[in-house]
Amino acid sequence: QVQLVESGGGLVQAGGSLRLSCAASGRTFSSYAVGWFRQVPGKEREFVAAMRRSGTSTYVADSVKGRFTISRDNAENTVYLQMNTLKPEDTAVYRCAASLYSGSQLRDPLRYIYWGQGTQVTVSS
């Protein structure tokens, strides 16, 4: 069992930066791949970024490539999403998740078994 709690969201102007954190409970956190997804009302959940459990490979959505970076600290049981050059279209609830899958399957939200509650990110123009 893994519990995930996000933090770091908030209101920021376009062009600004935020760093989201996802704190995980459970000693087996390093056994899971991790991902970040976002969702706005009325739209499907959108893949943002993911990282394999080893931390050797990352996957990033084209919409945020070059602006967002995912990282993890297994010693601290924490996953981060550094978001730079934010745009109004990045406004959403951001959720972290844990998966036992790897590779391109990490882009699919159905491959994740544990989810956090989410943190709101609002980017003003």
Side-chain angles (χ1 to χ4, degrees):
Q1 185 81 10
V2 175
Q3 292 185 325
L4 304 171
V5 179
E6 303 93 337
S7 61
L11 174 64
V12 63
Q13 288 189 332
S17 298
L18 282 174
R19 188 177 80 156
L20 304 183
S21 299
C22 174
S25 64
R27 293 178 294 175
T28 60
F29 175 66
S30 60
S31 300
Y32 294 87
V34 292
W36 285 95
F37 290 80
R38 64 188 183 186
Q39 190 167 19
V40 298
K43 291 189 176 182
E44 291 187 356
R45 195 173 307 179
E46 178 187 9
F47 168 76
V48 176
M51 174 175 276
R52 297 179 65 175
R53 58 184 182 181
S54 64
T56 56
S57 296
T58 60
Y59 309 88
V60 183
D62 289 342
S63 58
V64 305
K65 193 168 293 183
R67 301 187 298 121
F68 291 12
T69 303
I70 185 172
S71 61
R72 68 187 296 170
D73 185 338
N74 285 339
E76 297 294 329
N77 278 6
T78 304
V79 182
Y80 302 98
L81 184 68
Q82 178 66 44
M83 306 186 296
N84 299 327
T85 318
L86 283 160
K87 304 176 181 180
E89 51 263 43
D90 294 320
T91 295
V93 173
Y94 285 71
R95 300 177 69 185
C96 65
S99 172
L100 291 173
Y101 287 86
S102 63
S104 59
Q105 295 182 95
L106 293 176
R107 297 176 182 269
D108 184 354
L110 297 179
R111 299 307 185 191
Y112 290 80
I113 56 175
Y114 299 113
W115 290 85
Q117 291 299 308
T119 184
Q120 176 70 46
V121 171
T122 303
V123 184
S124 63
S125 57

